Amino acid sequence: MITEASFYLFNATQGRVHFGSVKILIPATWERNDYAKPTQEAYTKADVIVAPPYWKHGHDPYTLQYGGCGEKGKYIHFTSDFLVNNDSIGIYGPHGRLFVHEWAHLRWGVFDEYDSEKPFYISSQNQVKATRCSSDLTGIYVCEKESCTEGTCVIDQATGLLKEGCTFIHDKEQNASSSIMYMQSLSSVFEFCDSSNHNAEALNAQNRMCSYKSTWEVIMSSDDFKSDIPLTSKNSPLPPTFSLLQATDRVICLVLDFSSSMDENNRIIRMRQAVEVYLLQIVEENSYIGVVTFSEGGEVKSQIRQITSADIRKQLASDLPVATYGDRANVCMGLQLALQVIKKHDESVSGSEIILLTSGDDSSLSKCFSDVIDAGLIVHTIALGHSVSQELEQLGKMTGGLSFFVTDRQDSNSLIDVFSAIVASDGDTSHQPVQIESAAERVKGNGQIERSMLIDSTVGNDTFFVVTWLAKEPNIVLRGPRGKHFTNGEFDVNPLFRTARLQIPGIAEAGDWTYLLTNSHGLPEVLTMTVTSRAVKSDVSTITVRTHTNKDTNAYPSPMIVYAQVNQGFSPILGANVTAIIEPESGDPIILDLFDNGAGADTIKNDGVYSKYLFSFARNGRYSLKVHVQRDNQTISPYPATLWSPAMYIPGYITNGTIQMNAPRPLMNSEDTHISSGGFSRIAAGSAFTISGVPTGPYKDVFPPCKITDLDARTEEDKIVLTWTAPGDDFDQGQAARYEVRISQSSLELREEFENAVPINTSSLAPQPAGSKEMFVFKPEASANVTLIYMGIRTVDKSFLYSDLSNIAQALIIPGKGTHIAPAKYGALAVVLTTCGLLLLVASCLIVSTILWTSKKKKKVAIDEAILSHSDSALAV
């Protein structure tokens, strides 16, 4: 597949790029062979994954793509069934061509030029067209569903479009050479649509998301091609080379700062508590762990040991020092010592991991970068406090590791949250822990914390409740769903680490758990509760959360986007309440509610990816990120209304005048797509990011409302009804001041000369808060003719800042009433029909060419798109 794709990609990019080398990561659970060890390659970082389907019969290839135009996707997902089943070639075309289609999604952030939700549109010539690019691709309309009246395609007068049941069947042989993002399966197609043949009228995601730019324009603006020169050689490139890699059990060395800087703000206590949680609860069974500490020098506290029992975990935790030593933090000393420890375990250190935590300002950190990088180590970094060198994040990025920041706020549980997020990157969630609860609160003397949290039915194995404090052990009361109580006596208390830990025997009950923590100290105290668990059974997919921002460095006033992806396996979880907590180096955290509503920062509605713009910063420096996701008790639907960038399921072709239909696409049913859950709760930490350029004093409003991307129009009698999701005063937050709605009979005029289009009186239209559903009804000027109207909206905020123009919606005004039907007249293989509505002011006509064929003893009618039109006078053929 990839070899074929390489040559196809070379031609599609006019000799610019092809695949040079490909690394295939063999699962660690497969039989061992003489494969090389990976370095930074991991399942969670892969461009392409081969994995189970997102639902029982969901073998559609797709690209996980939820960013904006030109932004890279996350991965391409194939199922093994798709790859080994040659039957799919008739549906999607040759696999190499399909791979290039998905690669363009992934690498260059372009979108599909078809749209399953809006398969048809009305062109500026008043013709009903199939949503596609280029419009030169030929075919006919076929009614393939029982909803069609008497087997014919029906035009709905309310929309002017074909009703459900009609589909467009392409000619197998075409002359058009584009576009790969529409139908790469056609043998004539070998190019992306460019500015010369782009169909800007089509109602597809590419136009909606990329402001009507062609796919080739977006691709050529990517970093891959900004300074690239097309190859002058006409020779085909060499085939790509392939390497097979296979990971072994994880090898991890903790490298912990015990310099005097760790005495500040209770850092040493908090670090010991977090590392204990990691060693006793988080790191996976059979992993290999070592511990190194450093200040001015370094010490090996534990050589590499395999985690095979609870006793080994406890022994590793007990090896941690109780006090700091030395004044200065020499990070390179710790890294070099860790390298020695890992080499002692295995000379081949490639792919081994280091978890580096420091609070010191070591300006010489970059001196040992080359040693670590050359060894192929992955370094996860944790910056604790505000004084850590900015070089720390560079080390994490250069080695393919994660980079975290933890504030010095006392009433924060972020350090434990960060360690809980450093799990194996092999994609096997059945053995990975999930964090269910993370609570931290400053409690007044003799005060209490009482909260409830949910343990859902997908977890319950290896469940821990951990309480921490800074001065004096609190009184603990934990109550299970059936009323069973646990108190301090049942907890394993470590007075040195100031922790109390309870492991629930067997499987923890699903349901509501309530805990009461009472400060037994007369002075204020910071109390925390952390709950982790694992899958109830190895064959059960847990609900997982991953969070990140779209940038790891940003300069004010450019906005960022916060994402949280909520899944069970590959099935997106809908309807969750998602809250992001962003903590700066000092000051109060930023609280954001993330949404999966397809508006603002959220590209696709109901895909399980929740997002929000982040733009208001109080200061420069590092920021941490974590999200709290929860859902109340109810049945949840773990599937999207539409999948991310799926490959087009081709219903059939016309070959030599004969229509050949593929098998119908499998449909989801309730057994495949619903799970019953007693609610759930999750905590997930994301990587840190850095902000610069924030003004020191009050600053003027520079944040406009976000672009509306879901504008839709329909007609009701002689009126047009517009609906959309409200943007905010600042991007997708707050409440805008007003809307500017304009219409035109030319979509080009609306896009390029919006100010010259006809304005609509919106004085009665007051914007609602961001995320609300808006509706606006207006009556266009009366016309005796069939009129196609295009509409667009700009939003204005209180500072008179304007949003970008929305996507363009269209509506057809047809005087009179009734539904126009293309009737079936079966006298010959090809029949020409003329149907005219007998109206006083206008006749709306369809002139169609029909082809008749029989399939399973049912008659179907096909309509030639080229002459399917709306007209104001009768035509004769």
Side-chain angles (χ1 to χ4, degrees), residues 23 25 39-49 73-76 106 351-353 376-380 396-402 423-427 546:
K23 297 177 181 179
L25 190 61
T39 52
Q40 297 182 14
E41 298 85 8
Y43 178 89
T44 55
K45 303 175 188 175
D47 296 313
V48 182
I49 61 172
K74 293 304 175 183
Y75 57 75
I76 300 169
L106 177 76
S352 298
E353 301 171 66
L377 294 171
I378 300 170
V379 182
H380 308 294
K397 188 173 184 179
M398 294 169 69
T399 61
L402 303 169
V423 296
S425 56
D426 59 4
R546 295 179 179 88

Side-chain angles (χ1 to χ4, degrees), residues 55 57 145 664-669 672-673:
W55 61 284
H57 302 291
K145 293 186 178 179
R665 183 178 186 172
L667 298 177
M668 295 183 183
N669 60 52
D672 293 333
T673 59

Side-chain angles (χ1 to χ4, degrees), residues 524-535:
E525 171 70 283
V526 174
L527 304 177
T528 78
M529 171 66 87
T530 302
V531 183
T532 64
S533 188
R534 282 182 165 85

